Amino acid sequence: MKKKQIRERLNALRAQKLVHLTPKTGRTGRYYEGTYRVSSYSDLMFLVTNLIKVSVLALEKNEGVAAQELPDPQYNVLQVLLHALQLIPVEELELIDELAQLLEEVNGDEL
């Protein structure tokens, strides 16, 4: 496999799989900006609210107070877990597998 073909394949993989973190450069240097899927601003606010509520529930020792402030704790925990699933970078993990396969191919060929 020639270098140009490898470069094209790697760039195609990057475009397909590296979708959660975008490299950026700021005043303090290089960093990565993450993406998070929400359907609206209110959905984002519900997410933040649920994260806070679940954190309060997890830290609260007096269950009576938490039950008053969190009328449906199961729903809030479910929402946080569903959002946490979205944070797992599945596409990037698939890229690692494909890169490993590409490296095996490259190591088998002379460039």
Side-chain angles (χ1 to χ4, degrees):
M1 188 179 287
K2 298 193 185 259
K3 288 182 182 182
K4 183 179 178 183
Q5 291 172 318
I6 293 171
R7 187 178 300 115
E8 289 172 359
R9 191 163 167 197
L10 287 171
N11 284 324
L13 286 171
R14 179 176 58 186
Q16 291 172 349
K17 304 293 183 178
L18 293 178
V19 296
H20 289 288
L21 296 178
T22 305
K24 302 279 184 174
T25 304
R27 293 183 309 219
T28 58
R30 188 176 173 94
Y31 66 95
Y32 288 89
E33 185 175 275
T35 58
Y36 193 77
R37 294 177 214 131
V38 292
S39 59
S40 64
Y41 284 101
S42 61
D43 187 33
L44 176 61
M45 295 313 298
F46 286 129
L47 166 64
V48 172
T49 302
N50 286 339
L51 287 169
I52 293 169
K53 288 178 181 179
V54 168
S55 298
V56 168
L57 183 63
L59 295 173
E60 184 62 51
K61 294 183 185 197
N62 184 348
E63 293 180 16
V65 173
Q68 292 171 356
E69 294 174 12
L70 301 172
D72 192 359
Q74 280 186 313
Y75 173 78
N76 289 301
V77 171
L78 174 65
Q79 289 301 307
V80 168
L81 292 174
L82 289 173
H83 291 299
L85 282 174
Q86 290 181 14
L87 294 173
I88 298 172
V90 175
E91 291 85 0
E92 284 83 350
L93 296 172
E94 290 172 353
L95 174 64
I96 292 170
D97 289 337
E98 293 182 37
L99 286 174
Q101 179 184 357
L102 183 59
L103 283 171
E104 288 178 17
E105 293 174 20
V106 168
N107 288 334
D109 293 342
E110 288 187 19
L111 298 177

